[in-house]
Amino acid sequence: MKVAYILNTPNAANYKLGTMILPQLEEGRHGAEVLGIFFFDDNAFMLRKGDLKGERLAVVAKNTGMLLMICDQCAIQRGLATGAVGKAEPRDLIDGVTVGCFPDLYEALSPNPPDQVISL
């Protein structure tokens, strides 16, 4: 099964992704192919350079081709991107993170769409 995660509840990145899903992905026992993760609100802070869980996630994403995307408005509001909505550029984020909105997410996942989209 192919899945995509949307992290939109408080602490989803740190707790649900960082302590449950990430170790499973690193150990190859998650049970689903994660095509992408979309980060909202303060969950975006996990994607800062130097964040230990974020750096580990970057390795997994690089090795699997997983999409890591941060909401453009959330990133701009938190100083994690520069520019304007729709044209934001990442700032001081782990390697491989893109900045965008739902249309960008849909476009990025369209060549290989997930079977399930899971909101955490």
Side-chain angles (χ1 to χ4, degrees):
M1 178 188 324
K2 300 179 295 184
V3 301
Y5 290 113
I6 296 176
L7 305 182
N8 64 343
T9 60
N11 208 30
N14 181 53
Y15 181 62
K16 294 170 187 163
L17 175 61
T19 65
M20 296 178 206
I21 296 169
L22 179 57
Q24 293 169 359
L25 291 171
E26 290 172 321
E27 296 166 7
R29 62 179 183 86
H30 186 55
E33 179 185 358
V34 181
L35 301 177
I37 305 175
F38 196 27
F39 292 76
F40 279 96
D41 303 319
D42 288 346
N43 291 303
F45 287 123
M46 181 186 211
L47 300 175
R48 291 180 294 193
K49 282 189 190 240
D51 182 280
L52 296 177
K53 291 176 183 173
E55 296 286 351
R56 289 171 44 207
L57 182 61
V59 171
V60 170
K62 182 178 180 181
N63 291 338
T64 63
M66 179 192 310
L67 171 72
L68 299 177
M69 185 178 284
I70 186 173
C71 163
D72 56 1
Q73 291 187 48
C74 300
I76 292 167
Q77 290 173 2
R78 288 159 180 79
L80 301 173
T82 58
V85 172
K87 298 178 183 178
E89 294 293 326
R91 189 176 100 193
D92 298 323
L93 298 179
I94 58 175
D95 292 338
V97 175
T98 61
V99 179
C101 196
F102 277 108
D104 304 305
L105 177 66
Y106 305 148
E107 182 179 337
L109 294 176
S110 67
N112 184 23
D115 299 311
Q116 299 279 327
V117 176
I118 301 167
S119 178
L120 300 173

